[in-house]
Structures are given as C-alpha cells and as structure tokens.
Amino acid sequence: MSQIEILVGSTLGGTEYVAEAAQTLLEEAFFDTDLHLEPDLNEMSLQEEQIWLVCLATHGAGDYPENFKDFVDQLQQVNAPLDGVRYAIVGIGDSNYDTFCEAAKNLDYILEEMGAQRIGDRLEIDVVVHPMPEDRIADWIPLLIEDLNELID
Ligand SMILES: Cc1cc2nc3c(=O)[nH]c(=O)nc-3n(C[C@H](O)[C@H](O)[C@H](O)COP(=O)(O)O)c2cc1C
C-alpha cells in the first residue's frame, strides 16, 4: 500500500505548490503518488484500502476552495463508512482570519466521523508565518514518511 492520493483544494494556486513539494518528497521516498487538482470521489476506489494526503486552503469565510466543494458534497453522499481510508491533512490559511484553517478542520472532522483514520496530527500552515508554505511542508513530510513506513511494515 505505497500509493498516496494527493488531494488539493486551492483557489489562488499556492496550495498546489505545497502539494507538488509533498509529491516530490514522497516520490523520493519511493511512494507512488497521484495528484488530484480537481478531486473526484468517483475516481477513488473506496472498496480498496487507500491513503490520502489532503492539502487544503481555506477561502471565503472559512469555506472550501471552489475546486474542492464538489468533493465534499460527494463525500457527504457516501452511505458506507470510510474505514479503508487513512489520511493525512494539511491546512493552509491566514491567522488574520477568525476562521483560520477552518476548511481543513471541518474536513478532518467529516473524515473522522465517516470512519477514516488520520495519520499523525493535522498540520496547519499559517501564511503569515510561512509566506512560502511549501518550505514548511518540507519539514513535516519526513514525519509523515515515518508514520507511513510504520503503517506499511
Ligand atoms: C478571499 C480570501 C478569503 C480567505 N479566507 C480565509 C479564511 O477564512 N481562513 C483562513 O485561514 N485563510 C483565509 N484566506 C487565506 C488563504 O487560505 C491563503 O491565502 C492561502 O494561501 C490560499 O491558498 P491558495 O493559494 O491555494 O488558494 C483567505 C484568502 C482570500 C484571498
């Protein structure tokens, strides 16, 4: 189970850089990855065990980016538990907003409620502190890789 589905929610494109940086590091560690810039649940085989890495910005007033809204709607229509899904989640946001990283927090809650199991802690990247959020992910991916290797062993 060394395949990672990288799901991206982004409006202005910054989170795509974060996801691409994560992809490069995961592939250097010999994981296979697929980058989903327009996530579509119909493309995921929920019958099989899978690992997701969600990289998700917050927009609006704590809302999901436009390209991610359909995916959340699709998830909420699934009637079966997501017990074959393990996921890691990275929120990208701006701490000047009261709704800091709200989209990632909400999705984390939804996935957990649906029976998916999170790998490690949720990472929240504050663009005020990290104007280049892809640099922050480079520090975090090695921790994720440790968790993934334990999962796979
Ligand atoms: C119109 C607008 C609304 C935003 N709303 C929020 C918000 O509610 N919470 C938050 O944490 N960040 C918010 N942000 C900050 C973005 O999440 C941040 O700029 C992020 O890097 C954007 O990622 P993207 O380039 O992938 O779209 C907002 C940014 C914009 C431009």
mmCIF file of all heavy atoms in Angstrom, residues 8-16 56-63 65 92-103 125 127 133, ligand 1:
data_model
loop_
_atom_site.group_PDB
_atom_site.id
_atom_site.type_symbol
_atom_site.label_atom_id
_atom_site.label_comp_id
_atom_site.label_asym_id
_atom_site.label_seq_id
_atom_site.Cartn_x
_atom_site.Cartn_y
_atom_site.Cartn_z
ATOM 1 N N VAL A 8 -6.018 18.130 -3.627
ATOM 2 C CA VAL A 8 -5.669 19.549 -3.485
ATOM 3 C C VAL A 8 -6.923 20.417 -3.533
ATOM 4 O O VAL A 8 -7.735 20.300 -4.457
ATOM 5 C CB VAL A 8 -4.715 19.978 -4.627
ATOM 6 C CG1 VAL A 8 -4.265 21.419 -4.428
ATOM 7 C CG2 VAL A 8 -3.517 19.055 -4.719
ATOM 8 N N GLY A 9 -7.044 21.300 -2.544
ATOM 9 C CA GLY A 9 -8.091 22.324 -2.561
ATOM 10 C C GLY A 9 -7.408 23.680 -2.583
ATOM 11 O O GLY A 9 -6.756 24.072 -1.598
ATOM 12 N N SER A 10 -7.537 24.395 -3.679
ATOM 13 C CA SER A 10 -6.784 25.647 -3.844
ATOM 14 C C SER A 10 -7.568 26.592 -4.737
ATOM 15 O O SER A 10 -8.192 26.153 -5.713
ATOM 16 C CB SER A 10 -5.429 25.318 -4.492
ATOM 17 O OG SER A 10 -4.715 26.484 -4.804
ATOM 18 N N THR A 11 -7.520 27.866 -4.428
ATOM 19 C CA THR A 11 -8.149 28.866 -5.300
ATOM 20 C C THR A 11 -7.095 29.672 -6.048
ATOM 21 O O THR A 11 -7.172 29.854 -7.253
ATOM 22 C CB THR A 11 -9.042 29.814 -4.472
ATOM 23 O OG1 THR A 11 -10.055 29.032 -3.852
ATOM 24 C CG2 THR A 11 -9.693 30.875 -5.352
ATOM 25 N N LEU A 12 -6.074 30.113 -5.297
ATOM 26 C CA LEU A 12 -5.085 31.011 -5.899
ATOM 27 C C LEU A 12 -3.832 30.274 -6.358
ATOM 28 O O LEU A 12 -2.948 30.883 -6.955
ATOM 29 C CB LEU A 12 -4.709 32.110 -4.895
ATOM 30 C CG LEU A 12 -5.894 32.939 -4.376
ATOM 31 C CD1 LEU A 12 -5.453 33.866 -3.250
ATOM 32 C CD2 LEU A 12 -6.522 33.739 -5.507
ATOM 33 N N GLY A 13 -3.754 28.997 -6.085
ATOM 34 C CA GLY A 13 -2.641 28.180 -6.599
ATOM 35 C C GLY A 13 -1.531 27.886 -5.599
ATOM 36 O O GLY A 13 -0.720 27.005 -5.836
ATOM 37 N N GLY A 14 -1.497 28.621 -4.470
ATOM 38 C CA GLY A 14 -0.406 28.413 -3.510
ATOM 39 C C GLY A 14 -0.376 26.992 -2.962
ATOM 40 O O GLY A 14 0.704 26.404 -2.790
ATOM 41 N N THR A 15 -1.543 26.435 -2.728
ATOM 42 C CA THR A 15 -1.604 25.090 -2.139
ATOM 43 C C THR A 15 -1.160 24.028 -3.147
ATOM 44 O O THR A 15 -0.721 22.947 -2.758
ATOM 45 C CB THR A 15 -3.030 24.843 -1.610
ATOM 46 O OG1 THR A 15 -3.320 25.908 -0.698
ATOM 47 C CG2 THR A 15 -3.171 23.528 -0.889
ATOM 48 N N GLU A 16 -1.257 24.356 -4.423
ATOM 49 C CA GLU A 16 -0.732 23.419 -5.433
ATOM 50 C C GLU A 16 0.781 23.275 -5.269
ATOM 51 O O GLU A 16 1.321 22.179 -5.403
ATOM 52 C CB GLU A 16 -1.053 23.919 -6.846
ATOM 53 C CG GLU A 16 -2.514 23.759 -7.190
ATOM 54 C CD GLU A 16 -2.814 24.197 -8.623
ATOM 55 O OE1 GLU A 16 -1.927 24.113 -9.500
ATOM 56 O OE2 GLU A 16 -3.943 24.642 -8.829
ATOM 57 N N LEU A 56 -5.207 21.522 1.807
ATOM 58 C CA LEU A 56 -6.460 22.252 1.660
ATOM 59 C C LEU A 56 -6.365 23.680 2.198
ATOM 60 O O LEU A 56 -6.155 23.894 3.402
ATOM 61 C CB LEU A 56 -7.555 21.467 2.424
ATOM 62 C CG LEU A 56 -8.986 21.934 2.335
ATOM 63 C CD1 LEU A 56 -9.469 22.016 0.887
ATOM 64 C CD2 LEU A 56 -9.893 20.997 3.136
ATOM 65 N N ALA A 57 -6.545 24.639 1.312
ATOM 66 C CA ALA A 57 -6.606 26.047 1.726
ATOM 67 C C ALA A 57 -8.019 26.362 2.236
ATOM 68 O O ALA A 57 -8.964 25.612 1.975
ATOM 69 C CB ALA A 57 -6.279 26.949 0.535
ATOM 70 N N THR A 58 -8.135 27.469 2.966
ATOM 71 C CA THR A 58 -9.448 27.978 3.376
ATOM 72 C C THR A 58 -9.714 29.272 2.626
ATOM 73 O O THR A 58 -8.810 30.114 2.494
ATOM 74 C CB THR A 58 -9.489 28.240 4.895
ATOM 75 O OG1 THR A 58 -9.265 27.009 5.574
ATOM 76 C CG2 THR A 58 -10.825 28.832 5.328
ATOM 77 N N HIS A 59 -10.930 29.425 2.137
ATOM 78 C CA HIS A 59 -11.314 30.666 1.448
ATOM 79 C C HIS A 59 -12.668 31.134 1.969
ATOM 80 O O HIS A 59 -13.240 30.520 2.864
ATOM 81 C CB HIS A 59 -11.321 30.447 -0.075
ATOM 82 C CG HIS A 59 -9.955 30.636 -0.654
ATOM 83 N ND1 HIS A 59 -9.467 31.860 -1.025
ATOM 84 C CD2 HIS A 59 -8.944 29.753 -0.867
ATOM 85 C CE1 HIS A 59 -8.220 31.722 -1.455
ATOM 86 N NE2 HIS A 59 -7.873 30.454 -1.375
ATOM 87 N N GLY A 60 -13.176 32.233 1.390
ATOM 88 C CA GLY A 60 -14.466 32.760 1.843
ATOM 89 C C GLY A 60 -14.387 33.058 3.326
ATOM 90 O O GLY A 60 -13.360 33.480 3.831
ATOM 91 N N ALA A 61 -15.447 32.787 4.034
ATOM 92 C CA ALA A 61 -15.418 32.929 5.487
ATOM 93 C C ALA A 61 -15.335 31.522 6.058
ATOM 94 O O ALA A 61 -16.310 30.965 6.534
ATOM 95 C CB ALA A 61 -16.653 33.662 5.974
ATOM 96 N N GLY A 62 -14.155 30.940 5.971
ATOM 97 C CA GLY A 62 -13.961 29.582 6.494
ATOM 98 C C GLY A 62 -14.435 28.510 5.542
ATOM 99 O O GLY A 62 -14.708 27.380 5.952
ATOM 100 N N ASP A 63 -14.535 28.835 4.275
ATOM 101 C CA ASP A 63 -15.134 27.903 3.307
ATOM 102 C C ASP A 63 -14.058 27.099 2.554
ATOM 103 O O ASP A 63 -12.875 27.436 2.575
ATOM 104 C CB ASP A 63 -15.962 28.722 2.301
ATOM 105 C CG ASP A 63 -17.118 27.910 1.734
ATOM 106 O OD1 ASP A 63 -17.167 26.684 1.961
ATOM 107 O OD2 ASP A 63 -17.967 28.527 1.056
ATOM 108 N N PRO A 65 -12.217 25.837 -0.896
ATOM 109 C CA PRO A 65 -11.979 26.398 -2.236
ATOM 110 C C PRO A 65 -12.995 25.810 -3.220
ATOM 111 O O PRO A 65 -13.467 24.682 -3.038
ATOM 112 C CB PRO A 65 -10.562 25.911 -2.572
ATOM 113 C CG PRO A 65 -9.924 25.603 -1.254
ATOM 114 C CD PRO A 65 -11.031 25.128 -0.369
ATOM 115 N N ILE A 92 -3.945 25.118 4.921
ATOM 116 C CA ILE A 92 -3.188 26.336 4.619
ATOM 117 C C ILE A 92 -4.156 27.509 4.852
ATOM 118 O O ILE A 92 -5.283 27.503 4.317
ATOM 119 C CB ILE A 92 -2.641 26.346 3.168
ATOM 120 C CG1 ILE A 92 -1.534 25.305 3.007
ATOM 121 C CG2 ILE A 92 -2.040 27.715 2.810
ATOM 122 C CD1 ILE A 92 -1.972 23.967 2.595
ATOM 123 N N GLY A 93 -3.741 28.464 5.661
ATOM 124 C CA GLY A 93 -4.641 29.579 5.954
ATOM 125 C C GLY A 93 -3.864 30.781 6.455
ATOM 126 O O GLY A 93 -2.628 30.778 6.490
ATOM 127 N N ASP A 94 -4.634 31.770 6.845
ATOM 128 C CA ASP A 94 -4.075 33.051 7.270
ATOM 129 C C ASP A 94 -4.663 33.353 8.647
ATOM 130 O O ASP A 94 -5.893 33.443 8.807
ATOM 131 C CB ASP A 94 -4.506 34.103 6.216
ATOM 132 C CG ASP A 94 -4.038 35.503 6.536
ATOM 133 O OD1 ASP A 94 -3.903 35.827 7.727
ATOM 134 O OD2 ASP A 94 -3.841 36.282 5.582
ATOM 135 N N SER A 95 -3.768 33.490 9.639
ATOM 136 C CA SER A 95 -4.224 33.626 11.023
ATOM 137 C C SER A 95 -4.879 34.982 11.292
ATOM 138 O O SER A 95 -5.380 35.210 12.400
ATOM 139 C CB SER A 95 -3.063 33.389 11.992
ATOM 140 O OG SER A 95 -2.025 34.301 11.701
ATOM 141 N N ASN A 96 -4.913 35.878 10.309
ATOM 142 C CA ASN A 96 -5.677 37.119 10.493
ATOM 143 C C ASN A 96 -7.180 36.839 10.443
ATOM 144 O O ASN A 96 -7.972 37.690 10.842
ATOM 145 C CB ASN A 96 -5.325 38.128 9.402
ATOM 146 C CG ASN A 96 -3.930 38.697 9.620
ATOM 147 O OD1 ASN A 96 -3.636 39.178 10.712
ATOM 148 N ND2 ASN A 96 -3.087 38.612 8.618
ATOM 149 N N TYR A 97 -7.554 35.695 9.926
ATOM 150 C CA TYR A 97 -8.981 35.328 9.861
ATOM 151 C C TYR A 97 -9.370 34.545 11.119
ATOM 152 O O TYR A 97 -8.620 33.666 11.559
ATOM 153 C CB TYR A 97 -9.262 34.430 8.643
ATOM 154 C CG TYR A 97 -9.158 35.130 7.311
ATOM 155 C CD1 TYR A 97 -7.939 35.237 6.661
ATOM 156 C CD2 TYR A 97 -10.284 35.672 6.694
ATOM 157 C CE1 TYR A 97 -7.832 35.865 5.423
ATOM 158 C CE2 TYR A 97 -10.178 36.304 5.455
ATOM 159 C CZ TYR A 97 -8.946 36.401 4.830
ATOM 160 O OH TYR A 97 -8.853 37.015 3.611
ATOM 161 N N ASP A 98 -10.568 34.859 11.659
ATOM 162 C CA ASP A 98 -11.090 34.078 12.798
ATOM 163 C C ASP A 98 -11.280 32.631 12.389
ATOM 164 O O ASP A 98 -11.275 31.734 13.230
ATOM 165 C CB ASP A 98 -12.475 34.602 13.232
ATOM 166 C CG ASP A 98 -12.383 35.986 13.830
ATOM 167 O OD1 ASP A 98 -11.257 36.370 14.203
ATOM 168 O OD2 ASP A 98 -13.426 36.666 13.902
ATOM 169 N N THR A 99 -11.507 32.438 11.094
ATOM 170 C CA THR A 99 -11.779 31.105 10.570
ATOM 171 C C THR A 99 -10.478 30.470 10.053
ATOM 172 O O THR A 99 -10.461 29.896 8.966
ATOM 173 C CB THR A 99 -12.818 31.198 9.437
ATOM 174 O OG1 THR A 99 -12.404 32.254 8.552
ATOM 175 C CG2 THR A 99 -14.196 31.487 9.963
ATOM 176 N N PHE A 100 -9.419 30.617 10.853
ATOM 177 C CA PHE A 100 -8.108 30.111 10.429
ATOM 178 C C PHE A 100 -8.161 28.607 10.141
ATOM 179 O O PHE A 100 -8.564 27.817 11.006
ATOM 180 C CB PHE A 100 -7.070 30.408 11.515
ATOM 181 C CG PHE A 100 -5.702 29.835 11.227
ATOM 182 C CD1 PHE A 100 -4.999 30.214 10.106
ATOM 183 C CD2 PHE A 100 -5.139 28.894 12.088
ATOM 184 C CE1 PHE A 100 -3.742 29.681 9.831
ATOM 185 C CE2 PHE A 100 -3.885 28.358 11.825
ATOM 186 C CZ PHE A 100 -3.189 28.752 10.693
ATOM 187 N N CYS A 101 -7.796 28.247 8.924
ATOM 188 C CA CYS A 101 -7.726 26.824 8.502
ATOM 189 C C CYS A 101 -9.035 26.058 8.741
ATOM 190 O O CYS A 101 -9.016 24.846 8.968
ATOM 191 C CB CYS A 101 -6.568 26.102 9.176
ATOM 192 S SG CYS A 101 -4.974 26.501 8.424
ATOM 193 N N GLU A 102 -10.156 26.781 8.702
ATOM 194 C CA GLU A 102 -11.449 26.161 9.033
ATOM 195 C C GLU A 102 -11.806 25.025 8.067
ATOM 196 O O GLU A 102 -12.390 24.022 8.472
ATOM 197 C CB GLU A 102 -12.531 27.244 8.975
ATOM 198 C CG GLU A 102 -13.813 26.903 9.679
ATOM 199 C CD GLU A 102 -13.728 27.021 11.193
ATOM 200 O OE1 GLU A 102 -12.709 27.519 11.721
ATOM 201 O OE2 GLU A 102 -14.676 26.582 11.844
ATOM 202 N N ALA A 103 -11.461 25.184 6.794
ATOM 203 C CA ALA A 103 -11.807 24.138 5.817
ATOM 204 C C ALA A 103 -11.125 22.822 6.192
ATOM 205 O O ALA A 103 -11.759 21.755 6.192
ATOM 206 C CB ALA A 103 -11.409 24.570 4.407
ATOM 207 N N ILE A 125 -0.707 25.337 8.293
ATOM 208 C CA ILE A 125 0.359 26.269 7.884
ATOM 209 C C ILE A 125 -0.240 27.666 7.788
ATOM 210 O O ILE A 125 -1.207 27.899 7.046
ATOM 211 C CB ILE A 125 0.972 25.877 6.524
ATOM 212 C CG1 ILE A 125 1.466 24.423 6.554
ATOM 213 C CG2 ILE A 125 2.120 26.821 6.181
ATOM 214 C CD1 ILE A 125 2.120 23.961 5.241
ATOM 215 N N VAL A 127 0.115 31.298 6.567
ATOM 216 C CA VAL A 127 0.902 32.016 5.550
ATOM 217 C C VAL A 127 1.483 33.335 6.077
ATOM 218 O O VAL A 127 2.366 33.912 5.450
ATOM 219 C CB VAL A 127 0.095 32.259 4.241
ATOM 220 C CG1 VAL A 127 -0.206 30.945 3.552
ATOM 221 C CG2 VAL A 127 -1.161 33.064 4.488
ATOM 222 N N PRO A 133 4.586 28.516 1.971
ATOM 223 C CA PRO A 133 4.138 27.345 2.750
ATOM 224 C C PRO A 133 4.766 26.041 2.282
ATOM 225 O O PRO A 133 4.859 25.086 3.050
ATOM 226 C CB PRO A 133 2.616 27.332 2.566
ATOM 227 C CG PRO A 133 2.314 28.277 1.467
ATOM 228 C CD PRO A 133 3.452 29.229 1.353
HETATM 229 C C1 LIG B 1 -10.779 35.983 -0.268
HETATM 230 C C2 LIG B 1 -9.928 35.222 0.707
HETATM 231 C C3 LIG B 1 -10.524 34.648 1.805
HETATM 232 C C4 LIG B 1 -9.746 33.921 2.725
HETATM 233 N N1 LIG B 1 -10.350 33.356 3.832
HETATM 234 C C5 LIG B 1 -9.605 32.680 4.731
HETATM 235 C C6 LIG B 1 -10.220 32.110 5.889
HETATM 236 O O1 LIG B 1 -11.414 32.203 6.124
HETATM 237 N N2 LIG B 1 -9.416 31.409 6.741
HETATM 238 C C7 LIG B 1 -8.074 31.256 6.534
HETATM 239 O O2 LIG B 1 -7.405 30.617 7.359
HETATM 240 N N3 LIG B 1 -7.461 31.802 5.450
HETATM 241 C C8 LIG B 1 -8.196 32.504 4.547
HETATM 242 N N4 LIG B 1 -7.594 33.045 3.444
HETATM 243 C C9 LIG B 1 -6.145 32.880 3.239
HETATM 244 C C10 LIG B 1 -5.836 31.741 2.275
HETATM 245 O O3 LIG B 1 -6.187 30.482 2.814
HETATM 246 C C11 LIG B 1 -4.352 31.751 1.976
HETATM 247 O O4 LIG B 1 -4.037 32.942 1.270
HETATM 248 C C12 LIG B 1 -3.907 30.547 1.190
HETATM 249 O O5 LIG B 1 -2.516 30.599 0.999
HETATM 250 C C13 LIG B 1 -4.603 30.496 -0.160
HETATM 251 O O6 LIG B 1 -4.255 29.266 -0.762
HETATM 252 P P1 LIG B 1 -4.401 29.060 -2.327
HETATM 253 O O7 LIG B 1 -3.376 29.975 -2.994
HETATM 254 O O8 LIG B 1 -4.058 27.625 -2.542
HETATM 255 O O9 LIG B 1 -5.795 29.375 -2.718
HETATM 256 C C14 LIG B 1 -8.363 33.769 2.505
HETATM 257 C C15 LIG B 1 -7.769 34.347 1.376
HETATM 258 C C16 LIG B 1 -8.535 35.066 0.480
HETATM 259 C C17 LIG B 1 -7.875 35.696 -0.722
#
